[in-house]
Amino acid sequence: MIDRAALLGAIGRLAAAMEREAPALNEIDGALGDGDLGITMTRGMQAVQQGMAEMPADLGQALLRCAQAFTKTSGSSYGTLFATGLMAVAKAVKGRESFEASEVSGLIAAARDAMQARGKAELGGKTVLDSLDAMAKATAGLSDPAEVACAAREAAREAVEAFRERPATVGRARIFAEKSRTMRDPGMLAMTRIVEAVTGEA
Amino acid sequence: MIDRAALLGAIGRLAAAMEREAPALNEIDGALGDGDLGITMTRGMQAVQQGMAEMPADLGQALLRCAQAFTKTSGSSYGTLFATGLMAVAKAVKGRESFEASEVSGLIAAARDAMQARGKAELGGKTVLDSLDAMAKATAGLSDPAEVACAAREAAREAVEAFRERPATVGRARIFAEKSRTMRDPGMLAMTRIVEAVTGEA
Amino acid sequence: MKKILNTPADYVDEMLDGLVAAYPEFYRLHGDSHRVVARAQAGRAGKVGIVSGGGSGHLPIFTGYVGTGLLDACAIGDVFASPSSEQMADAIRAADQGAGVLRLYGNYGGDVMNFDMAGDLVEFDDIRCTTVLLADDVASAAPEEREKRRGVAGMVYAFKIAGAAAEAGQDLDAVTRVAQKAADAVRSVGAALSSCTVPQAGRPTFDIAEDEMEMGMGIHGEPGVWRNKLRPADAIAGEMMDRLLADMPVGQGDRVSVLVNSLGATPPEELYILYRVVKARLEGAGASIVMPLVGRYATSMEMAGVSFTLLKLDEELEGLLRAPCDCAFWRVG
Amino acid sequence: MKKILNTPADYVDEMLDGLVAAYPEFYRLHGDSHRVVARAQAGRAGKVGIVSGGGSGHLPIFTGYVGTGLLDACAIGDVFASPSSEQMADAIRAADQGAGVLRLYGNYGGDVMNFDMAGDLVEFDDIRCTTVLLADDVASAAPEEREKRRGVAGMVYAFKIAGAAAEAGQDLDAVTRVAQKAADAVRSVGAALSSCTVPQAGRPTFDIAEDEMEMGMGIHGEPGVWRNKLRPADAIAGEMMDRLLADMPVGQGDRVSVLVNSLGATPPEELYILYRVVKARLEGAGASIVMPLVGRYATSMEMAGVSFTLLKLDEELEGLLRAPCDCAFWRVG
Ligand SMILES: Nc1ncnc2c1ncn2[C@@H]1O[C@H](COP(=O)(O)OP(=O)(O)O)[C@@H](O)[C@H]1O
Ligand SMILES: Nc1ncnc2c1ncn2[C@@H]1O[C@H](COP(=O)(O)OP(=O)(O)O)[C@@H](O)[C@H]1O
Ligand SMILES: [Mg+2]
Ligand SMILES: [Mg+2]
Ligand SMILES: [Mg+2]
Ligand SMILES: [Mg+2]
């Protein structure tokens, strides 16, 4: 069961992880783009953390606040997409103080769809959408929290590698499509780190 | 005696000499300035030559035309100074169809003074003024045409060397005063070539 | 290329401070993000608002065009980086005079996401928003994929035309329609001779040899259609006109405006040399040139290079183009 | 730095062709030398004429400032080279409306000789001429030798003020007096970060390392007062203000205008960063800033660098500064 306490715990772990991973994420983003992915996530999570004390018990309201922390601190694609995904989940759990692990797959799918609508990218295009898609599929039908967490992590990790040899198709990296063919997508890698932190495995 | 025929002869020789010397004059001017001294003199003398057919017998009128050829074709210091000198001589011989070799010293002095007024430079400043000053002094009191010619040439040549080690004090070269200390002044060298051509020794 | 700045992190904030300090009669900072510039005097109540925005480093785009008969507000990001959607939402709020707001900006992925998100945010304020995207760079995608093209200097014309319509009291749908009409009638192409340097990066965005140029390059250094030896001015201008006219033919009796734009370092002297060819080509095709613009209207800081923008006019667009406007960088009428 | 041109020999002629083609409402070529630009519509009969001139490569200086409330005509030489005295005489003839002509230009040896010679030439046309020289570059000579200083961006203010006086119907002596007053009240200083390239030369005028700058450098690359590592914007602006204020103190209650000028490649973003310091210094001294100018007003083609120009105002100068003017590069009122 995921409630306010669980959320606060996840926020703390994610903020710490992003701070730790920032240089690595900046570097991989910098190879094909502007090298700000680590900054985007770190700043966003710092702002989320600052709002932790007054975080509402209504998970919809709470996740909306998290989203707003990102819309305030970042104009980068990933920050906006992440906020979009959070808002989609917020909408889905609005008015509730908890949800079950069995709902996670559907929530991830909702985030994926909202982010796809926002970013107008195709599935299969080597973006964070493909990580989410893999995670939604891998967690579908599961209800044990540990199993859900494990499946999500595995799916995220495998997606990064599965798409490694593909050319980038969106964002700044698209310009360097050929060069990108040997490189992991920064946004997919970031999503792996995010799931790892949220599920307490990082 | 200098008359229209003598003037036309001198013009022909000078135009040819300037064409021939242009690369050398451009090069020495280029070392400290904009490298246009040869172009200035070549263009000016070409324009003078174009007016040769209708050159008036009145030497004042004729020299005024020569001056105008330079005011039309050049905005460079040397062209304007040269035109100024020619205009001063033109004024002095206005209405006359000839003058004597004994007058040359005074005419050079008149040119020197007009050019000094125009360019506001001091005598002794390593410029064409110093060539003219030396020539005026060396030809003073002489009346034999060959003697006058020889004295003017010698004076011009000696002046170039006498000022060689001095720093430039005017024009673009002044910026490179130190570097200029080992170099001949382009305008003084040009005046030597001019006298040589005009007196038939080039 | 060297830059005059204090620290890269302060570049945009200090730049905006200086801009509003120099022109308090035109610009003010709105809100507390320090990244939203609005008109010093807000537009008339009931006037449709027009906002734009995007990364810094393109002055006068975007901020410079806040002014009467032009934009109402702008959100500005770091150099070549989108502002946040909250800042865009703030710009929309600043621009709103109760008649809705047109979002008018260039087609870049991050900006599009953020302006869309900003629209979601201001829904809570009951502000109605429409969108017109500039996608005028013919070198950035084939005609079949026009909607994928980047937005470049064509924005200048769109700001002018939409701004005039809004100033004239047209409603949001009408302003949006005419802005879209301008966006559809505008084509641009650029050529770069040297890179600029993003302050945070500290080194040129791309390397290009001292005797090379790149045709069709984008204003952030996006690759163009060819890179080769620098060509003579008339050949460069000729090819740029070929590319524009292939995409949007201009013929006998057509009326067009044309913008010959420096990307930054290229001085006006060179623009005039190019303009000879532009004029000869357009008039040679039988077209008349209306209000040509030659200068720095959309830049990439100190990048050397040029862009040409062609706007095909009808009576409505020409009237709006000629209408008065006023900002620190451009004045008509 | 690369240039867009056809052949160096045609650079200036083609540039002027393009300029008059782009702005036929402002400029026309006068006479047959192809190097004299006059107002498209000559000034009123009986108006005092104002001419300027000098080498090309400084747009908007000189040609750009031909216009109402500014100059009547200009003679333009090759890049960084004086026009001929005949061309200057032609410009004086174009400017004359029967009330005499003020020659208003920068203190460079060749230009001075040629404008003096041009005065001799137009004596035959019975045109009365006066002269005011700009010698505003404080870095180019000590205060004791002020008359030896180079003329730089201060010209812009002198054109504006003399132009307004002439437009207002003042006679030649009055226009000359007020132009001299402006010339006496103006001080400039520049700093260069990179060289420009004279087309005929084909290589940068001077070499300067990628991490160096030069303080006090002239607009043709004349050496400055020091060359050293590039400093932060605030330090550069601070030193430039120090130099100006040491030469012409500004204090409580003074009214000044200030021009923060790009020498070419330096983008407006950087000018605004500098302007913060300029404003703080002047206001900190108790002075009020009137009509600050920030932009490209006097350049060396694609040179990177800036100049600051300070003009101390009295009531008369302020009135003339604020009077209307109009040309393709600057409009007031
Ligand atoms: N339109 C899009 N749709 C989905 N994912 C996207 C999109 N654009 C970018 N991404 C993802 O975001 C990552 C890059 O994010 P970020 O560094 O914030 O981009 P930028 O700095 O270029 O705005 C990419 O690796 C990709 O996974
Ligand atoms: N003010 C001056 N007075 C006297 N002679 C001068 C003056 N200025 C330049 N000169 C002479 O002219 C020569 C340079 O001429 P020129 O190349 O035409 O100059 P620039 O190209 O810099 O205008 C100098 O070598 C010097 O002899
Ligand atoms: Mg990035
Ligand atoms: Mg980014
Ligand atoms: Mg020379
Ligand atoms: Mg010269």
Side-chain angles (χ1 to χ4, degrees):
Chain A
M1 192 194 71
I2 292 99
D3 60 6
R4 182 173 184 278
L7 179 65
L8 293 183
I11 289 173
R13 288 192 302 278
L14 182 53
M18 290 298 106
E19 184 112 32
R20 198 173 58 234
E21 296 293 334
L25 291 175
N26 285 340
E27 201 190 314
I28 178 172
D29 184 41
L32 300 173
D34 55 1
D36 62 354
L37 188 50
I39 301 173
T40 300
M41 287 306 300
T42 312
R43 283 213 197 129
M45 286 311 301
Q46 277 169 353
V48 170
Q49 261 192 317
Q50 272 161 25
M52 263 169 72
E54 307 115 66
M55 201 61 88
D58 175 342
L59 288 181
Q61 294 294 341
L63 287 166
L64 183 66
R65 295 228 182 154
C66 296
Q68 282 167 342
F70 277 86
T71 62
K72 273 218 172 66
T73 54
S74 170
S76 252
S77 305
Y78 207 77
T80 304
L81 287 168
F82 197 69
T84 303
L86 289 174
M87 274 168 86
V89 177
K91 220 175 211 168
V93 300
K94 200 171 146 185
R96 292 171 57 188
E97 301 205 347
S98 70
F99 60 86
E100 299 304 320
S102 59
E103 297 175 71
V104 164
S105 172
L107 293 172
I108 294 175
R112 175 199 63 203
D113 294 345
M115 290 161 74
Q116 187 173 12
R118 176 74 72 218
K120 298 175 191 82
E122 312 272 320
L123 274 181
K126 195 180 182 180
T127 71
V128 64
L129 298 182
D130 295 312
S131 299
L132 294 169
D133 188 54
M135 287 156 63
K137 286 184 174 136
T139 52
L142 304 182
S143 56
D144 176 66
E147 250 184 275
V148 167
C150 181
R153 274 196 308 268
E154 293 298 306
R157 286 173 188 154
E158 282 164 19
V160 171
E161 294 308 321
F163 280 85
R164 188 172 195 139
E165 312 289 312
R166 305 269 198 96
T169 62
V170 298
R172 294 175 204 266
R174 187 167 66 109
I175 298 175
F176 308 96
E178 275 319 302
K179 186 177 165 200
S180 69
R181 268 180 190 279
T182 56
M183 303 182 61
R184 296 173 294 177
D185 176 64
M188 294 182 79
L189 186 69
M191 188 45 72
T192 307
R193 300 285 170 265
I194 291 168
V195 200
E196 287 169 350
V198 167
T199 61
E201 276 254 333
Chain B
M1 194 192 73
I2 293 100
D3 60 4
R4 181 173 185 277
L7 179 64
L8 294 183
I11 289 172
R13 289 191 302 277
L14 184 53
M18 291 298 106
E19 185 112 31
R20 199 174 58 235
E21 296 293 332
L25 291 174
N26 285 340
E27 201 189 315
I28 178 171
D29 184 41
L32 299 174
D34 55 1
D36 61 355
L37 189 51
I39 301 173
T40 299
M41 287 305 300
T42 312
R43 283 212 196 131
M45 286 311 301
Q46 278 169 353
V48 169
Q49 262 194 315
Q50 274 163 22
M52 265 170 71
E54 308 116 64
M55 199 62 86
D58 177 340
L59 289 182
Q61 294 294 341
L63 287 167
L64 183 67
R65 294 227 183 155
C66 295
Q68 281 167 341
F70 276 85
T71 61
K72 274 218 171 67
T73 54
S74 169
S76 252
S77 305
Y78 207 76
T80 303
L81 287 168
F82 197 67
T84 302
L86 288 173
M87 274 170 85
V89 178
K91 221 175 212 171
V93 300
K94 199 172 150 187
R96 291 171 57 188
E97 302 205 346
S98 70
F99 60 84
E100 299 302 320
S102 60
E103 297 174 71
V104 163
S105 172
L107 293 172
I108 294 175
R112 175 200 64 203
D113 295 345
M115 290 161 73
Q116 187 173 11
R118 176 73 72 218
K120 297 177 192 84
E122 311 272 321
L123 274 182
K126 195 181 182 181
T127 72
V128 64
L129 297 182
D130 295 312
S131 298
L132 293 171
D133 189 52
M135 286 156 63
K137 286 184 174 138
T139 52
L142 303 182
S143 56
D144 177 65
E147 252 183 274
V148 167
C150 181
R153 273 193 311 266
E154 295 297 307
R157 286 172 188 154
E158 283 164 18
V160 170
E161 295 307 322
F163 280 86
R164 187 172 198 141
E165 311 289 312
R166 306 267 199 97
T169 62
V170 298
R172 293 175 203 268
R174 187 166 66 109
I175 297 174
F176 307 96
E178 276 318 303
K179 185 177 166 199
S180 70
R181 268 179 189 280
T182 55
M183 302 183 63
R184 295 172 295 176
D185 176 64
M188 295 182 78
L189 185 69
M191 187 46 72
T192 306
R193 299 285 170 264
I194 292 167
V195 200
E196 287 168 351
V198 166
T199 60
E201 277 254 333
Chain C
M1 181 59 63
K2 299 170 241 184
K3 305 182 89 75
I4 304 177
L5 49 76
N6 291 304
T7 66
D10 293 330
Y11 183 85
V12 173
D13 290 327
E14 293 185 351
M15 179 269 280
L16 291 175
D17 280 339
L19 177 77
V20 299
Y23 304 110
E25 69 278 27
F26 286 116
Y27 311 116
R28 70 182 164 85
L29 288 168
H30 167 91
D32 47 16
S33 75
H34 208 271
R35 294 300 181 88
V36 177
V37 170
R39 291 193 198 179
Q41 265 80 44
R44 249 179 323 93
K47 187 187 92 66
V48 165
I50 305 179
V51 297
S52 191
S56 288
H58 302 297
L59 278 178
I61 292 262
F62 305 82
T63 334
Y65 295 112
V66 167
T68 314
L70 295 162
L71 304 175
D72 291 272
C74 256
I76 312 100
D78 284 329
V79 173
F80 297 177
S82 184
S84 75
S85 46
E86 268 294 333
Q87 289 160 350
M88 287 174 168
D90 249 6
I92 294 171
R93 290 180 197 113
D96 182 51
Q97 280 100 223
V101 174
L102 167 64
R103 292 168 291 195
L104 185 57
Y105 61 99
N107 185 30
Y108 291 94
D111 293 328
V112 173
M113 280 188 226
N114 287 325
F115 261 123
D116 285 350
M117 172 72 99
D120 291 355
L121 297 174
V122 298
E123 263 182 32
F124 294 92
D125 305 276
D126 290 320
I127 302 176
R128 200 184 139 216
C129 286
T130 57
T131 297
V132 172
L133 283 183
L134 271 293
D136 51 316
D137 186 345
V138 301
S140 55
E144 308 80 64
E145 298 192 304
R146 255 195 66 199
E147 73 291 345
K148 288 203 182 162
R149 288 179 175 171
R150 303 181 289 249
V152 287
M155 261 179 266
V156 176
Y157 281 121
F159 295 166
K160 177 71 190 72
I161 280 164
E167 216 69 55
Q170 299 189 17
D171 69 17
L172 182 59
D173 290 330
V175 172
T176 305
R177 183 192 55 78
V178 79
Q180 188 62 58
K181 192 184 192 182
D184 290 339
V186 80
R187 297 288 185 287
S188 298
V189 67
L193 275 67
S194 79
S195 175
C196 58
T197 295
V198 175
Q200 300 266 11
R203 48 176 167 65
T205 306
F206 56 89
D207 293 315
I208 182 162
E210 199 38 55
D211 61 347
E212 281 185 340
M213 63 174 288
E214 185 155 333
M215 175 66 64
M217 177 165 270
I219 53 172
H220 309 103
E222 297 92 338
V225 291
W226 57 256
R227 178 182 289 206
N228 218 314
K229 296 283 173 229
L230 184 59
R231 301 200 178 157
D234 288 1
I236 296 170
E239 176 170 347
M240 289 171 73
M241 288 307 291
D242 287 346
R243 291 183 178 275
L244 291 178
L245 296 174
D247 209 86
M248 182 175 72
V250 161
Q252 195 61 43
D254 281 341
R255 297 178 68 78
V256 295
S257 188
V258 61
L259 163 57
V260 175
N261 175 57
S262 166
L263 295 178
T266 294
E269 282 83 355
E270 298 174 22
L271 301 181
Y272 294 125
I273 291 175
L274 295 166
Y275 182 71
R276 295 159 40 256
V277 179
V278 171
K279 181 175 192 271
R281 282 293 293 273
L282 291 173
E283 294 184 348
S288 308
I289 302 176
V290 175
M291 227 176 88
L293 305 174
V294 184
R296 290 172 173 104
Y297 288 82
T299 66
S300 293
M301 294 178 295
E302 73 284 359
M303 186 183 285
V306 294
S307 70
F308 293 174
T309 299
L310 221 58
L311 171 67
K312 218 164 162 174
L313 297 165
D314 63 8
E315 218 173 295
E316 179 182 35
L317 292 179
E318 184 169 340
L320 294 167
L321 178 63
R322 290 180 184 278
C325 75
D326 198 10
C327 69
F329 295 85
W330 193 20
R331 189 160 144 203
V332 176
Chain D
M1 182 56 66
K2 300 169 239 183
K3 304 181 90 75
I4 305 177
L5 49 78
N6 291 302
T7 67
D10 294 331
Y11 182 84
V12 174
D13 290 327
E14 292 185 352
M15 179 268 280
L16 290 176
D17 280 340
L19 177 77
V20 300
Y23 304 110
E25 69 279 26
F26 286 117
Y27 310 117
R28 70 182 164 86
L29 288 168
H30 166 91
D32 47 17
S33 75
H34 207 270
R35 294 300 180 88
V36 177
V37 170
R39 291 193 197 177
Q41 264 80 44
R44 250 181 322 96
K47 188 187 91 67
V48 165
I50 305 180
V51 297
S52 192
S56 288
H58 302 298
L59 278 178
I61 291 262
F62 305 83
T63 335
Y65 295 112
V66 168
T68 314
L70 295 163
L71 304 175
D72 291 271
C74 255
I76 312 100
D78 284 329
V79 172
F80 297 177
S82 183
S84 76
S85 45
E86 268 294 334
Q87 289 160 351
M88 287 174 168
D90 250 8
I92 294 171
R93 290 180 198 112
D96 182 51
Q97 279 101 223
V101 174
L102 167 63
R103 291 167 293 194
L104 185 58
Y105 61 98
N107 185 30
Y108 291 94
D111 293 328
V112 173
M113 280 189 226
N114 286 324
F115 261 123
D116 284 351
M117 172 72 100
D120 292 357
L121 297 173
V122 299
E123 262 182 32
F124 294 93
D125 304 277
D126 291 320
I127 302 176
R128 202 184 138 216
C129 286
T130 57
T131 297
V132 171
L133 283 182
L134 271 294
D136 51 317
D137 186 344
V138 301
S140 55
E144 309 79 66
E145 297 192 303
R146 256 195 66 199
E147 73 292 344
K148 288 202 182 163
R149 288 178 174 171
R150 302 180 290 248
V152 288
M155 261 179 267
V156 175
Y157 281 120
F159 295 166
K160 177 72 190 71
I161 280 163
E167 217 69 57
Q170 299 190 17
D171 69 16
L172 182 58
D173 290 330
V175 172
T176 305
R177 183 192 56 77
V178 79
Q180 187 63 56
K181 192 183 192 183
D184 290 338
V186 81
R187 297 289 186 286
S188 299
V189 67
L193 275 67
S194 80
S195 175
C196 58
T197 295
V198 174
Q200 300 266 11
R203 49 176 165 66
T205 305
F206 56 90
D207 293 315
I208 183 162
E210 200 39 54
D211 60 347
E212 281 185 341
M213 62 173 290
E214 185 156 333
M215 176 64 65
M217 178 165 270
I219 53 173
H220 308 103
E222 297 93 339
V225 291
W226 57 257
R227 179 182 287 205
N228 218 314
K229 296 283 174 231
L230 184 60
R231 302 199 178 157
D234 288 0
I236 296 171
E239 176 170 346
M240 289 171 73
M241 288 307 291
D242 287 344
R243 292 182 177 273
L244 291 178
L245 296 174
D247 209 86
M248 183 174 72
V250 161
Q252 194 61 43
D254 281 341
R255 296 178 69 77
V256 295
S257 187
V258 61
L259 164 57
V260 175
N261 176 56
S262 166
L263 295 177
T266 294
E269 281 84 353
E270 299 175 23
L271 301 181
Y272 295 124
I273 291 175
L274 295 166
Y275 182 71
R276 294 158 40 257
V277 178
V278 171
K279 182 173 193 271
R281 281 294 292 272
L282 291 173
E283 295 185 348
S288 308
I289 302 176
V290 175
M291 226 176 89
L293 305 174
V294 183
R296 291 173 173 103
Y297 288 81
T299 66
S300 293
M301 295 179 294
E302 73 283 359
M303 186 184 284
V306 294
S307 70
F308 292 176
T309 299
L310 220 57
L311 171 67
K312 218 164 161 174
L313 297 164
D314 63 8
E315 217 174 295
E316 179 182 34
L317 292 179
E318 184 169 342
L320 294 166
L321 179 63
R322 289 181 185 277
C325 75
D326 199 9
C327 68
F329 295 85
W330 193 21
R331 191 162 141 201
V332 176

